[in-house]
Amino acid sequence: MIAILSPAKTLDYDSPLPAVTPTRPRLADEAKTLARAAARLSQKRLSALMKISPALAKLNADRFHAFADAPERPALFAFAGDVYTGLEAKTLPDAALPFAQDHLRMLSGLYGLLRPLDAMRPYRLEMGTRWAPGAHDRLTDWWGDRIAALLADDVAAEGSGTILNLASQEYWAAVDGRLPATVRVIAVDFRDGDRFVSFHAKKARGMMARWLVEHRVERVEDMRGFDSDGYAFVAADSSDDRWLFRR
C-alpha cells in the first residue's frame, strides 16, 4: 500500500539531517512554473489569498522571489507541523527510510506529489488556494490529472493497488475522482471518544505513517493493528473504505 499525507505550513531547515541521499521531485518543473508565477503576486495579494499576516506574506513573497537559489531539504525532514510531530522522522531507524520512500507520499500545492527524500525548497502554497497561473481559478484545476496520474503509477509499481488516505480533505481534493477505479482508497478517521479533535487527528495521521514504515507493513489489513497513543481499530463503526480508530 501507499499512505498519503498532507504537507505542513511549518518548516524546518535548520536542525541536523541524517545521512540520506536526496531525490529530485518528479514534478519539479511544475513547481518552478508555479513559483515563478507566485513571485509576480504582490505581498498584499498573497496575504489575501493565503489569509496570512503581512509579515508572513512578506516571508513567502521573498521565498518565491528567491526560489531558484533557495536551500533544499528532503521533504520528510523539512515539514514540521502537527502530522510530522507524530511521525518523528528524525528518530526513524535507518532501515525504515527506504521503505518510506516506496510507501509514503506527501501531497503538495507547489510540488504536486513528494516522496520522503525528494529535495524541496521552502514555500507555502496550500492546495485549496483560489489562484493559479493562466486561465485557472483554483490550484487544483491547474494541476488537473497530473498528481493523480503520478500517484496511480506509484500504486501500480508498488503492487497492492491500495491507498491509505491520511491526508486532509483540502489536499485529497487534488486526486479525488481522478484515480483509476481499480485503485482501492481507504480513508482513516481518528476520534477521541466520539469527538473529532483536529490537532489530535493530525498527530495520529503522522503516528500511523510512522507505524507503517517502522514495521514495514505490506498488507493494508495489518494496519488495523495500529495502536500508538491508545488508538484502536473499531470494526463495528468501520467499512471497507473508511476505517475508524478511537481512543
Side-chain angles (χ1 to χ4, degrees), residues 124-139:
R124 178 167 173 170
L125 185 64
E126 283 103 30
M127 189 64 79
T129 302
R130 297 191 176 193
W131 164 88
H136 302 284
D137 295 327
R138 294 174 179 265
L139 197 53

Side-chain angles (χ1 to χ4, degrees), residues 190-198 200-201 231 245-247:
F190 295 97
R191 299 277 166 161
D192 286 285
D194 292 327
R195 295 168 57 237
F196 174 79
V197 182
S198 179
H200 293 162
Y231 285 100
F245 288 79
R246 180 182 288 133
R247 64 175 182 179

Side-chain angles (χ1 to χ4, degrees), residues 61-134:
D62 291 344
R63 284 172 171 172
F64 286 128
H65 282 289
F67 187 77
D69 300 314
E72 294 182 319
R73 192 175 181 92
L76 187 64
F77 303 101
F79 292 128
D82 298 333
V83 171
Y84 298 88
T85 298
L87 203 159
E88 295 184 276
K90 293 181 180 65
T91 63
L92 280 171
D94 291 344
L97 293 178
F99 191 88
Q101 184 76 348
D102 292 336
H103 293 271
L104 193 61
R105 297 290 181 269
M106 289 86 96
L107 294 164
S108 164
L110 187 70
Y111 284 96
L113 190 69
L114 288 162
R115 296 167 296 185
L117 299 182
D118 282 351
M120 56 168 262
R121 295 182 166 99
Y123 77 95
R124 178 167 173 170
L125 185 64
E126 283 103 30
M127 189 64 79
T129 302
R130 297 191 176 193
W131 164 88

Side-chain angles (χ1 to χ4, degrees), residues 193-223:
D194 292 327
R195 295 168 57 237
F196 174 79
V197 182
S198 179
F199 168 74
H200 293 162
K202 289 177 182 179
K203 189 175 179 182
R205 291 167 189 159
M207 288 190 291
M208 180 168 274
R210 181 189 178 94
W211 201 86
L212 164 67
V213 301
E214 194 169 28
H215 292 84
R216 284 174 265 180
V217 180
E218 297 281 0
R219 297 176 63 253
V220 70
E221 289 77 13
D222 293 339
M223 291 302 298

Side-chain angles (χ1 to χ4, degrees), residues 18-24 74 101 117-118:
V20 296
T21 301
T23 48
R24 185 178 187 270
Q101 184 76 348
L117 299 182
D118 282 351

Side-chain angles (χ1 to χ4, degrees), residues 46-69:
L46 280 174
S47 180
L49 281 171
M50 298 186 182
K51 299 178 175 61
I52 54 178
S53 68
L56 279 175
K58 181 182 186 308
L59 171 65
N60 287 285
D62 291 344
R63 284 172 171 172
F64 286 128
H65 282 289
F67 187 77
D69 300 314

